[in-house]
Amino acid sequence: MSKKASWVSRFSFYLLAVGSACGLGNIWRFPYVIGENGGGAFLLLYIFLAFTVGLSILVAELILGRSGEFSLLKITKLVSLQAKKPFYWFGRLSILINVVILAYYSVISGWVLHYLTQFIVGIVNENRIAYISSINMEALKNSGSLQFSLASVHLLICGFVVAKGVIERFEKIFAQALPILAVLFIVLIIRSFSLDSTSDVMRFLFYPDFSKLNLSSLGRALGHVFFTLSLGMGIMVTYGTYFKNDEHLPSVGFRVTTIDTIVSIMALLMVFPIAFLSDSNHYFTDPGILFESLPRLFVKIQYGEFFGFLFFLCLWLAAVNASIGLLETLIANFSDKFHKISRNQSTFMTITGVLLLMIFPAFSGTLFSKFKWFNQSFMENLDSLLINYLLPISGLGIIVIFFHLLNETERKEKFIDATGKNSQAMYRHWIWILKWFSPVLIGLAILLQFVNLFR
Ligand code: TRP
């Protein structure tokens, strides 16, 4: 058994994969993407894409990981040499996206830290209710340096966990935080559902109005599928190397996708009843929808300040977990490329690079507020370019690499479960989706979004 495999039990394998998938993408990003795209119809489209394109690529990434224990950069290099084609560009693209996503993700994690500290102040404050009601995004929106500082604190803590090799200890803490987050989540949903807005929310979320979809909906739904399942960057390739050989990877992929989808829908049920109570609709499309609505929910709950603190603490731990996955992949690739430098040095250099990049998302609302393209702010453009265009393109690269690296026999052998009778039929469907359906949809999504931009 490899060194890596020995330290993780089966439970930790799942914790890694599910932990990397479930994060700010589900709880912070999903509600506003759904709000922006009109609710029910978009939600259906999203679920359909998650279980076709998303799941098929997730399984491909896990299988790639098991077949070689390589990082994506190494795999693409290998395939380039074999096929004598410049496939290594896919590897480079994935690294580039990885760095930028980590920078962007750190800034949002900084927002979580801000709320965490606000609720700590709320606990000790004399007039607790008045204090919680006043918690909002204003301070963050008006100060790029506050966003930058919080994001730096987040990144440095992640760097510390990675460099000091205390990931295992962090995983243990995270494993304990998860049940707390789950219980809190359920309590909050129940409370949220006792509000007057429930029937409107149910109609908005579960009664699909297809006229709300437009040319860019496909790309947005697909982009979010990639983001929330952590696809397109070889993260799941790394986790694939951790799974034991008797684990049936298609089932792993299915479970991860299911859990991730359930968590995302729970986030909608928590956020929208509150958002619907407000007079204006601007919240729905605002990236701050989670942060604007939650304090208004906690005010309505006894010991709300304490629950608020717990919620943001668990959310932040989830963000740390996802960030560590991104950081680890970067450092592993960095060390692969430059053999001579130590792990600490490569951690240091990676963190410095990400810190510099973070300037852009952190100051997007202040220093860079004049930079607007296509009627969107700097941050929105960055988000869209990364998630709706580059991640799916990188996913396409993974499909190409997958078919070049493994031949028919190897693919079958790694997919089919020795005991499962249905695997054979499932295998054929999976290959069809991976080879034809996904590339066509990715191409179409990018094309339609592009057309929509210039309409
Ligand atoms: N999936 C995570 C979330 O939903 C974010 C994330 C972690 C990610 N690692 C990733 C996204 C790799 C893309 C690629 O919060």
Side-chain angles (χ1 to χ4, degrees), residues 19-26 101 105 226-233 235 260 322-323 325-326 391:
S20 158
C22 296
L24 296 177
N26 307 64
I101 286 211
Y105 207 81
F226 275 89
F227 185 74
T228 190
L229 292 176
S230 311
L231 299 176
M233 225 171 294
I235 299 232
D260 188 79
S323 310
L326 289 160
L391 270 185

Side-chain angles (χ1 to χ4, degrees), residues 371-384:
F371 292 95
K372 285 204 167 182
W373 300 280
F374 307 111
N375 259 335
Q376 285 192 318
S377 71
F378 184 81
M379 190 91 153
E380 284 166 328
N381 277 304
L382 178 72
D383 178 285
S384 181

Side-chain angles (χ1 to χ4, degrees), residues 65-361:
R66 176 176 292 166
S67 40
E69 299 211 12
F70 291 130
S71 65
L72 191 61
L73 200 62
K74 268 194 185 169
I75 296 180
T76 50
K77 229 187 255 160
L78 193 79
V79 174
S80 290
L81 284 177
Q82 277 173 1
K84 300 209 172 54
K85 291 200 181 106
F87 288 145
Y88 49 80
W89 278 105
F90 285 129
R92 292 181 184 171
L93 174 69
S94 78
I95 302 289
L96 175 77
I97 306 174
N98 195 332
V99 187
V100 187
I101 286 211
L102 181 56
Y104 180 51
Y105 207 81
S106 299
V107 172
I108 311 295
S109 306
W111 296 5
V112 178
L113 273 181
H114 177 71
Y115 270 67
L116 181 59
T117 49
Q118 299 277 302
F119 275 94
I120 295 178
V121 178
I123 293 177
V124 293
N125 200 293
E126 275 176 16
N127 195 347
R128 304 191 299 187
I129 304 290
Y131 184 81
I132 306 178
S133 344
S134 71
I135 296 179
N136 60 35
M137 297 273 294
E138 282 312 303
L140 281 174
K141 275 191 179 148
N142 296 333
S143 170
S145 43
L146 177 62
Q147 292 195 43
F148 186 78
S149 321
L150 289 165
S152 310
V153 170
H154 170 79
L155 189 65
L156 290 176
I157 293 177
C158 296
F160 176 81
V161 173
V162 171
K164 290 283 167 220
V166 286
I167 294 188
E168 279 169 76
R169 223 178 298 159
F170 173 79
E171 290 293 338
K172 286 207 183 98
I173 299 176
F174 180 59
Q176 281 159 1
L178 272 187
I180 303 179
L181 188 60
V183 172
L184 263 174
F185 223 22
I186 292 171
V187 171
L188 288 175
I189 291 172
I190 294 174
R191 183 66 189 92
S192 207
F193 255 73
S194 60
L195 299 171
D196 295 338
S197 52
T198 318
S199 58
D200 291 341
V201 173
M202 294 309 266
R203 195 169 323 120
F204 178 72
L205 289 179
F206 301 114
Y207 184 79
D209 173 1
F210 288 95
S211 66
K212 296 256 173 69
L213 297 181
N214 61 31
L215 285 182
S216 59
S217 304
L218 180 65
R220 289 190 178 156
L222 198 63
H224 189 78
V225 167
F226 275 89
F227 185 74
T228 190
L229 292 176
S230 311
L231 299 176
M233 225 171 294
I235 299 232
M236 289 296 173
V237 176
T238 319
Y239 293 151
T241 65
Y242 297 154
F243 276 94
K244 289 212 192 84
N245 274 334
D246 54 0
E247 202 78 48
H248 186 224
L249 292 181
S251 315
V252 174
F254 183 76
R255 282 184 209 131
V256 171
T257 310
T258 309
I259 297 175
D260 188 79
T261 307
I262 293 174
V263 173
S264 295
I265 293 178
M266 283 170 75
L268 300 181
L269 298 180
M270 176 178 77
V271 168
F272 276 104
I274 281 285
F276 260 80
L277 284 185
S278 98
D279 318 325
S280 80
N281 279 351
H282 87 274
Y283 278 130
F284 288 19
T285 59
D286 189 327
I289 182 172
L290 172 83
F291 295 98
E292 297 284 7
S293 45
L294 274 185
R296 290 188 286 144
L297 186 57
F298 287 118
V299 170
K300 297 183 195 296
I301 295 175
Q302 214 178 6
Y303 305 117
E305 63 283 356
F306 181 68
F307 284 122
F309 158 72
L310 259 187
F311 181 87
F312 283 105
L313 178 64
C314 296
L315 187 60
W316 179 63
L317 289 177
V320 172
N321 191 57
S323 310
I324 287 177
L326 289 160
L327 195 56
E328 264 282 322
T329 314
L330 277 179
I331 293 170
N333 279 310
F334 205 89
S335 312
D336 265 357
K337 186 119 185 103
F338 307 99
H339 296 293
K340 291 211 183 72
I341 48 181
S342 72
R343 191 181 154 85
N344 275 348
Q345 278 169 321
S346 45
T347 309
F348 180 77
M349 288 185 215
T350 310
I351 297 236
T352 314
V354 180
L355 274 176
L356 287 177
L357 263 180
M358 248 164 40
I359 294 175
F360 297 100

Side-chain angles (χ1 to χ4, degrees), residues 9-28:
S9 65
R10 186 162 183 238
F11 174 70
S12 324
F13 291 131
Y14 273 96
L15 198 65
L16 281 172
V18 173
S20 158
C22 296
L24 296 177
N26 307 64
I27 296 174
W28 156 72

